[in-house]
Amino acid sequence: MNRRFAPTAVTTVACLLSSSALSRLFDGTRWWLVPVVIAVLVAVVTATVSRLLRLPTVAGLVISLAGLAVTVTLLCARGTALLGLIPTPLTVSTLRDLIADGSSDISRLATPVPHRPGLVVLIVLGVYLTTMLVELIVVTLERPTLGGLPLLALYAVSAAILPGGVGALAFGLGAVSFVALLLLDGRLAVGRWGRPVATSTEAGAYGSAGEPPRPRVAVTALGVSLAALVVAVTLPLALPSLDGAGLVSRRSGYGAGDGPSSASVVQPIVSVSQQLHADATIPLLRVRTETPRYLRLTALENFDGQLFTLRALNATRDDRVSGGLPKPQLGGTTSTASAEVTISDRFNELYLPVPGIPTKIKGLVGDWRLVDPTGTIFSTRTSTAGVRYQVEAVSPDPTRAQLLSSNGRVPADLAVDTLLPANLDGRLRTLLTTLTQGATTTYEKVYAIQEYLRGPTFTYDLQGAPTTQDGALAAFLFDTHRGYCEQFASAMTVLVRMLGIPARVAIGFVPGEQQPDGTYLVTNRQAHAWPEVWFPSVGWLGFEPTRRADGATTAPSYAPAGVEDPDAALAPGPQTEVAPEPDPSTGSGQDPSAAPSATATDGASDTAADAPHGATGGGFPWWAIVLLVAAGPVLLALAVPGLIRLRRRRTRLRPGRHAAGGAGAASGAGAHGSVDQVHDAWSELLDVAADLGVTIRPSDSPRTGVARLSSYLDAEPTPGGGPVRANDSPAISGFPAPDEPGPDDDLTPDAAPSLRYAQAREALGRLAAAEERARYAPPELASPPPPAEITRDVLIASDTLWSIAPPRGRRIMARLAPASVLYRAPRPAASPTPDAAIPTEEPPAPIDPHHPDESDTGRPEPAISSRR
Amino acid sequence: MVTDPGLRHWRDPVTDIGHLAEVAGRVRASVETVIDGKGEAITTALVVLLSEGHLLIEDVPGVGKTMLAKALARSIDARVRRIQFTPDLLPGDVTGVSVYNQGTRDFEFRPGPVFANIVVGDEINRAEPKAQSALLECMEEHQVTVDGVTYRLEPPFMVIATQNPVEMEGTRALPEAQRDRFTARISMGYPSPAAEMAMLDSHGSNNPLTGVTPVTDAAEIIRLVALVRTVHVSPEVRQYIVDLVGATRAHPDVSLGASPRAALHLIRTARARAALDQRAFVLPDDVQEMAIPVLAHRLLAHPEILLSGEPATEVCGRILADILDRVPVVRPGGARPLRHGR
């Protein structure tokens, strides 16, 4: 039993292990892994069951697809199905909608992708079909090595999308599964030859138990492959890599990347902290501008309770800045700024410093792309080092009145900016209530938070700042009250988010110090982080809770620092006015799921929570497209050889293809055949032989070839036919002997096998005789048999040959990938068929008057050899 | 096209060719009363007879070489002469000599044993090369020239020679020119145990050859030979023969390949083989079947191949089998001219 099910087991394990390649595409585990496991198991089980029941291939296929339907229904549209299992029309439409959703998710979402119901459908479909294919190849067709190809497709998808590849673990698992397939292949290959033979020392080990010993060779092979695998995984770690992700990173100054984001290997906030804490002062930028502003790099939106991190940046080629920048959608008054930025070689980042939301950019070389929601210009290929460009940017600059009257719902796609972890310190809520006491509008509340943080309670202290450990935020707010921009910005963002208002942490630089030549010099000391709050009809607005010791961080004009900094309005900081209004969702409080998801429906609560930013579609879309869309052409391509073969056969056997067939074809007897048809029949026979793996060499004459086919038939136990070689005796044993049933005997479908073989042998003999006459006899003696007879002989012969082609897998293989099409050069067509469509009454070739057979209106003489 | 006029002379090809097979069957039956279980050797001998060729029977002593030669000769009512090739045999002993006739005071030609329809040359490789060479002219040109006078030999003319393998003591290798003139070489091989038992039973007491009586005559053989010449050989088969012969010349293990004469002999024997099979046209199978008997003895393998000690006969047979396996019956791409160029 074990041996019998080994291929099935290997298939299952290989598919499951290979699915790990998908892990880095998705955020979270359980929501996609469980469906994948279920899909693999159902696919394997259905296929195995139909095999055990010895169902025909088509029935097996139907069962497998039914399993797919049930699986998808169960996993994705249970509510719509009968008994939760049986799909209904409603299920179909639901699934169709889900698939459409999934497809659009694919085009919009960045990796890692959060839980989306539509994606689950696509994942289940893809994995199930892949598993079916692998199962078919490995178990049915007995070609385990080829089974690696569909699995490779899974890898190719992930590897093509993820910049860091599938990762060492997934690679290792996939490699292990392929090694398992290879071992299986080796075992099957040995099995095809017979039983493995044990040496004398091993023989004792298993004796007659029938269980072969684990061959030493296999153990060695396993060892070698595992060693190769270890080397393959570990060696690259020690080598410098192009993206700096190796253990030896060329980006030593900014820390090793471990971020989950696809575009950045550096955690920006860590980078800010490092730059601020660096011992040396390093000039990073020179900015020539009339309007010094904060230089923004990017904004951090994901919050894990301690640290703000970057959401994945994704941009398509369409988002290249060289193609022009979109007009930012800002309400209220705005202010523009232009600057000429020269970046030093020491500033080796992925993001471009921009004074606001970029609207125009010039002089930039390389593949820079704009990510719309965060206004980030980034490149994964080029670094900022040494770049020089002119940029124009716009920032919202509302009045206080505008902000006070700002009112509206938070759009669903900003829900990510209100997310908070569930385990926040309870004191935060109390603090927030205290702070916002008396404030009625959103703006007032936000302003109150800023004022509190800028207040005398807190001290800007670079040295004593808490690090990013657990509870650091609470410690900063309630105990130490000491920190730098990172703590201030994070604290404010968290507090604002607790109000249900979208907020995020922007990072970048404060304007820097003006130099004698008028430019502003920005060093690592100017690295900064500040909160951005979203106001309806205004957009993202920067605030400044940090009160830097050097006074570089003044509060914006729309949120002037109250008592402490009356001159704030002059400040070059983020410039906007303030005009708060109560937001309908403000009261929602700290529960993130109760966030402003007015639009969120029950079934799509995730949609609101993770609502993506539009137009970020980048690498991700390929995987499902590859899996699903490419499946069609691939299947078609796979079917092509079989179809070509079928077409050839049809063409050759088509009645009336040769003029001689003509009118006589219908009645059969009495018609004169055509030489071309004999050649066609012979070619068909050769192709059948090739498909079945019977080698007929070019050096074989017709009767030798037929002798080979006959001995192929003889492999079956039938009376009276030993393997023959044409040269053994003047007559071919496959030829009809006079006392055997004549060719005109009807072929009964359920004739005893031995009779069928005898008839097939006669048919083969007649075909060979006809072919050698057609080829070698003088035209007068060629006398091809009537077309109907030829066709019948070909059918008898090829049907019988096919019927004994032993394993079913081999037979399917021969049908799908006929060797005659794949390996044998197509023989030149015997001759054009000029009058194929026009049946003629007359024999095509003028018959020589001396032709001895002319008077013979019946069947032409059989091959002379058969008369002996 | 040579074949067509010939075809027209056939009254009824099938009948004629049936007659040929019937005669051949009689001869075969006659020979088989003497030699048991050597159907293939007998067939080849008949083929050589019908293709106007000469037969070389090579084998170890005592397996019935001479018996086969004599039985075949006796089955035909024709002039049969036998020459025992001994080391002291002189050319004149083969071809005949001019002797001075006292009566006429002139030289008078005394025909040698070659002036016959069937000449059995026994142990041909025990004679000096000069004696062997006496056969050169008569075998190829069916004539003898002595003292400047050329004498025609009457058809049919066939030399059946026997020899021991060169490895045997007291033998000399036949010169290449001489070997090339033999159409086919066969070897007898040891009889099967059953055949050997039967032989002991029947031949123990009396000489079986005495029971062999002619079953056909020289005139009949001449007619059959003419009939064989009309057997159709398609261009494909001719091409195949040329390819085969060419392959022997190109084979890496061969230092001397088959001659054009070999190709000629091959096509003749293939015709005869087809006719024996009652077929009016030649199949590649006929060629394949005759290739080893006709070609093997003409090939000269490279000396280093022979260093292994394998007998040259087997080496050449193997080379030919290899060639037969490789040369395509129908030239790839060369298509099949379905109606022959005519």
Side-chain angles (χ1 to χ4, degrees):
Chain A
M1 283 307 257
N2 284 341
R3 307 189 59 193
R4 208 171 139 203
F5 287 109
T8 309
V10 171
T11 304
T12 315
V13 172
C15 288
L16 287 176
L17 292 184
S18 302
S19 302
S20 64
L22 300 174
S23 62
R24 289 185 67 189
L25 289 174
F26 302 122
D27 198 12
T29 306
R30 184 183 287 209
W31 66 270
W32 66 268
L33 189 57
V34 172
V36 161
V37 171
I38 293 176
V40 169
L41 291 180
V42 173
V44 171
V45 167
T46 49
T48 308
V49 165
S50 48
R51 184 170 309 103
L52 287 180
L53 296 178
R54 298 186 179 281
L55 296 177
T57 315
V58 176
L61 204 63
V62 168
I63 288 185
S64 285
L65 292 177
L68 173 61
V70 169
T71 309
V72 175
T73 310
L74 194 65
L75 290 173
C76 308
R78 199 176 319 168
T80 64
L82 272 182
L83 305 173
L85 278 180
I86 302 158
T88 60
L90 181 60
T91 315
V92 175
S93 66
T94 310
L95 287 178
R96 207 171 46 211
D97 292 347
L98 282 175
I99 288 175
D101 286 353
S103 313
S104 76
D105 288 343
I106 285 166
S107 57
R108 289 183 309 136
L109 294 186
T111 55
V113 180
H115 179 195
R116 318 279 302 166
L119 282 184
V120 175
V121 180
L122 294 179
I123 293 168
V124 170
L125 284 176
V127 170
Y128 195 100
L129 292 175
T130 307
T131 308
M132 266 176 71
L133 200 56
V134 175
E135 210 272 349
L136 179 77
I137 294 172
V138 173
V139 185
T140 308
L141 302 186
E142 298 178 353
R143 292 286 188 278
T145 310
L146 288 182
L149 282 178
L151 296 181
L152 184 64
L154 280 181
Y155 277 83
V157 166
S158 299
I161 293 162
L162 296 168
V166 294
L169 182 65
F171 171 79
L173 292 177
V176 165
S177 61
F178 188 62
V179 168
L181 288 174
L182 286 180
L183 286 177
L184 184 64
D185 199 61
R187 226 181 83 166
L188 288 178
V190 172
R192 277 180 211 126
W193 288 95
R195 283 165 58 89
V197 178
T199 59
S200 55
T201 51
E202 288 169 329
Y206 76 110
S208 59
E211 185 65 22
R214 174 160 292 275
R216 222 166 273 167
V217 178
V219 176
T220 311
L222 195 64
V224 169
S225 48
L226 287 183
L229 194 53
V230 169
V231 171
V233 172
T234 53
L235 191 61
L237 291 178
L239 299 173
S241 69
L242 289 179
D243 62 358
L247 285 182
V248 186
S249 172
R250 69 188 165 89
R251 238 179 235 281
S252 48
Y254 292 88
D258 57 349
S261 64
S262 61
S264 172
V265 289
V266 179
Q267 275 305 344
I269 199 103
V270 175
S271 164
V272 168
S273 162
Q274 281 177 343
Q275 292 183 34
L276 286 175
H277 287 91
D279 290 333
T281 299
I282 304 159
L284 297 178
L285 318 171
R286 252 172 212 285
V287 185
R288 182 179 296 278
T289 178
E290 299 302 311
T291 49
R293 300 275 167 82
Y294 278 18
L295 293 166
R296 213 164 153 282
L297 289 174
T298 183
L300 313 177
E301 297 183 291
N302 281 354
F303 182 55
D304 61 0
Q306 301 162 32
L307 205 62
F308 276 89
T309 52
L310 196 64
R311 272 186 53 191
L313 292 175
N314 253 313
T316 62
R317 289 154 185 271
D318 294 339
D319 298 322
R320 281 184 180 156
V321 296
S322 50
L325 293 171
K327 205 172 169 60
Q329 313 247 319
L330 296 173
T333 52
T334 57
S335 72
T336 55
S338 61
E340 183 182 331
V341 182
T342 310
I343 299 178
S344 86
D345 290 327
R346 308 289 298 274
F347 185 68
N348 201 348
E349 262 285 14
L350 299 172
Y351 317 102
L352 219 53
V354 172
I357 302 168
T359 53
K360 194 182 285 182
I361 195 154
K362 279 196 299 192
L364 208 52
V365 181
D367 183 8
W368 294 90
R369 301 181 183 191
L370 174 72
V371 182
D372 195 33
T374 54
T376 307
I377 295 179
F378 81 105
S379 169
T380 50
R381 309 206 178 149
T382 332
S383 101
T384 50
V387 172
R388 181 194 183 106
Y389 55 95
Q390 288 110 38
V391 61
E392 278 182 27
V394 62
S395 312
D397 192 7
T399 61
R400 285 178 73 102
Q402 279 172 339
L403 286 174
L404 281 166
S405 66
S406 165
N407 187 10
R409 282 183 176 172
V410 178
D413 63 354
L414 290 184
V416 69
D417 294 302
T418 59
L419 281 182
L420 285 171
N423 56 349
L424 280 179
D425 197 301
R427 288 174 290 176
L428 284 172
R429 170 59 54 193
T430 324
L431 175 65
L432 187 65
T433 318
T434 320
L435 287 181
T436 56
Q437 218 167 19
T440 50
T441 65
T442 307
Y443 168 70
E444 280 169 342
K445 288 174 185 170
V446 173
Y447 181 58
I449 295 169
Q450 178 192 303
E451 286 310 287
Y452 172 66
L453 289 172
R454 285 190 80 97
T457 326
F458 293 90
T459 314
Y460 183 84
D461 185 355
L462 214 49
Q463 303 310 320
T467 53
T468 59
Q469 53 196 327
D470 232 1
L473 182 66
F476 165 71
L477 279 174
F478 303 113
D479 301 334
T480 65
H481 298 122
R482 303 173 84 82
Y484 56 99
C485 58
E486 185 187 331
Q487 282 73 40
F488 284 101
S490 304
M492 179 160 174
T493 309
V494 168
L495 287 169
V496 171
R497 282 190 179 190
M498 287 173 71
L499 294 171
I501 304 166
R504 62 191 189 190
V505 175
I507 59 166
F509 299 96
V510 293
E513 304 197 13
Q514 191 159 23
Q515 302 298 299
D517 63 355
T519 60
Y520 291 81
L521 177 67
V522 177
T523 69
N524 54 329
R525 301 283 177 216
Q526 266 79 40
H528 189 45
W530 65 95
E532 285 183 336
V533 182
W534 187 85
F535 285 93
S537 76
V538 172
W540 287 102
L541 206 55
F543 282 81
E544 187 49 90
T546 312
R547 192 161 42 86
R548 259 172 78 141
D550 59 1
T553 53
T554 46
S557 59
Y558 45 80
V563 194
E564 293 83 6
D565 266 290
D567 55 340
L570 321 174
Q575 46 293 97
T576 333
E577 245 2 270
V578 187
E581 251 298 286
D583 190 286
S585 61
T586 304
S588 303
Q590 71 191 50
D591 182 3
S593 66
S597 47
T599 55
T601 61
D602 221 7
S605 64
D606 299 305
T607 316
D610 291 304
H613 300 68
T616 49
F620 181 67
W622 303 106
W623 77 268
I625 294 171
V626 170
L627 275 185
L628 295 175
V629 177
V634 166
L635 287 179
L636 201 66
L638 286 177
V640 161
L643 292 176
I644 292 179
R645 179 72 186 82
L646 206 61
R647 199 185 129 75
R648 277 193 199 155
R649 181 183 170 90
R650 290 252 162 89
T651 316
R652 285 175 186 148
L653 299 183
R654 193 171 59 212
R657 165 166 147 85
H658 305 288
S667 59
H672 283 275
S674 109
V675 171
D676 295 345
Q677 200 202 359
V678 174
H679 289 317
D680 273 352
W682 183 250
S683 303
E684 172 63 23
L685 204 60
L686 288 184
D687 280 359
V688 168
D691 291 347
L692 292 175
V694 181
T695 314
I696 294 189
R697 302 182 195 162
S699 61
D700 286 344
S701 66
R703 52 175 73 187
T704 316
V706 156
R708 285 189 201 281
L709 283 172
S710 282
S711 56
Y712 183 75
L713 284 174
D714 290 334
E716 289 291 295
T718 57
V724 234
R725 238 197 96 82
N727 297 352
D728 287 350
S729 67
I732 290 188
S733 67
F735 278 42
D739 54 341
E740 278 177 323
D744 292 324
D745 291 1
D746 280 334
L747 179 75
T748 33
D750 50 356
S754 58
L755 179 58
R756 279 181 59 209
Y757 295 146
Q759 282 171 332
R761 258 184 230 110
E762 289 163 21
L764 286 173
R766 284 194 293 274
L767 288 171
E771 170 67 8
E772 63 188 19
R773 275 177 165 254
R775 269 200 223 170
Y776 302 116
E780 307 82 56
L781 290 179
S783 59
E789 237 168 69
I790 297 177
T791 309
R792 202 190 56 169
D793 282 348
V794 171
L795 290 179
I796 292 175
S798 58
D799 286 353
T800 312
L801 286 170
W802 271 108
S803 72
I804 63 164
R808 194 159 57 105
R810 204 70 59 75
R811 216 180 309 170
I812 295 175
M813 198 69 186
R815 290 280 194 205
L816 282 181
S820 60
V821 175
L822 296 178
Y823 309 120
R824 238 163 50 97
R827 7 188 86 228
S831 77
T833 54
D835 300 319
I838 309 160
T840 47
E841 297 280 336
E842 302 191 356
I847 297 292
D848 190 310
H850 301 286
H851 190 268
D853 284 341
E854 209 200 358
S855 58
D856 184 2
T857 52
R859 232 177 129 264
E861 291 287 333
I864 289 175
S865 58
S866 68
R867 297 176 67 217
R868 294 184 66 193
Chain B
M1 289 304 251
V2 212
T3 52
D4 264 351
L7 262 180
R8 285 175 204 288
H9 293 148
W10 286 24
R11 244 176 320 121
D12 178 350
V14 177
T15 319
D16 271 3
I17 222 152
H19 174 65
L20 180 145
E22 190 250 324
V23 172
R26 286 208 304 262
V27 175
R28 173 194 294 275
S30 166
V31 174
E32 273 178 347
T33 59
V34 180
I35 312 265
D36 279 341
K38 290 293 162 202
E40 208 173 325
I42 297 172
T43 305
T44 311
L46 282 173
V47 164
V48 172
L49 172 69
L50 292 175
S51 59
E52 291 181 280
H54 308 288
L55 183 65
L56 180 61
I57 310 175
E58 174 181 305
D59 217 323
V60 291
V63 290
K65 299 182 296 291
T66 312
M67 192 72 95
L68 172 66
K70 287 170 83 174
L72 184 64
R74 280 187 176 222
S75 301
I76 299 161
D77 184 12
R79 281 207 301 153
V80 178
R81 298 292 293 273
R82 187 178 189 284
I83 308 170
Q84 186 70 37
F85 282 75
T86 54
D88 58 351
L89 191 76
L90 292 174
D93 297 337
V94 176
T95 57
V97 287
S98 297
V99 290
Y100 186 72
N101 187 326
Q102 298 274 10
T104 58
R105 300 185 165 238
D106 199 0
F107 281 97
E108 182 180 277
F109 181 64
R110 290 255 177 94
V114 294
F115 286 88
N117 295 120
I118 297 178
V119 178
V120 177
D122 214 15
E123 310 274 355
I124 187 173
N125 60 345
R126 294 195 181 274
E128 294 287 333
K130 60 183 177 189
Q132 294 172 352
S133 303
L135 283 172
L136 288 180
E137 185 188 7
C138 58
M139 283 174 76
E140 180 62 22
E141 299 166 47
H142 291 200
Q143 64 186 23
V144 175
T145 305
V146 178
D147 294 341
V149 184
T150 298
Y151 307 92
R152 295 283 318 167
L153 298 175
E154 291 296 316
F157 176 68
M158 180 187 190
V159 175
I160 306 177
T162 71
Q163 66 169 3
N164 290 133
V166 191
E167 291 79 8
M168 294 287 157
E169 258 183 67
T171 59
R172 297 180 178 81
L174 235 47
E176 288 85 2
Q178 180 72 47
R179 283 205 305 263
D180 198 35
R181 277 168 172 75
F182 281 103
T183 304
R185 178 189 65 185
I186 57 174
S187 60
M188 303 295 292
Y190 290 107
S192 66
E196 202 161 2
M197 279 287 287
M199 183 199 77
L200 291 183
D201 275 355
S202 57
H203 302 180
S205 49
N206 58 338
N207 184 359
L209 275 175
T210 54
V212 176
T213 49
V215 291
T216 180
D217 57 14
E220 180 84 73
I221 296 298
I222 290 173
R223 276 212 309 282
L224 294 184
V225 164
L227 182 63
V228 164
R229 280 187 187 153
T230 64
V231 167
H232 174 81
V233 184
S234 68
E236 290 89 344
V237 173
R238 287 201 291 268
Q239 181 68 59
Y240 180 53
I241 290 173
V242 170
D243 288 347
L244 278 183
V245 173
T248 65
R249 297 170 197 157
H251 199 281
D253 292 350
V254 175
S255 61
L256 179 68
S259 60
R261 181 189 289 142
L264 208 59
H265 285 173
L266 189 53
I267 201 170
R268 280 190 200 156
T269 51
R271 277 194 171 114
R273 184 73 191 71
L276 273 186
D277 215 6
Q278 305 193 39
R279 226 180 313 104
F281 52 92
V282 173
L283 293 183
D285 305 77
D286 302 318
V287 179
Q288 286 169 356
E289 213 162 314
M290 299 315 301
I292 291 183
V294 172
L295 299 181
H297 64 285
R298 303 168 205 252
L299 301 188
L300 211 56
H302 271 302
E304 54 266 38
I305 305 293
L306 297 171
L307 278 182
S308 67
E310 195 180 356
T313 314
E314 284 175 32
V315 170
C316 293
R318 213 186 51 225
I319 290 172
L320 276 171
D322 176 46
I323 288 174
L324 285 175
D325 258 5
R326 288 195 204 181
V327 176
V329 171
V330 175
R331 272 198 167 185
R336 300 172 294 236
L338 296 176
R339 298 290 170 196
H340 315 127
R342 201 159 25 115

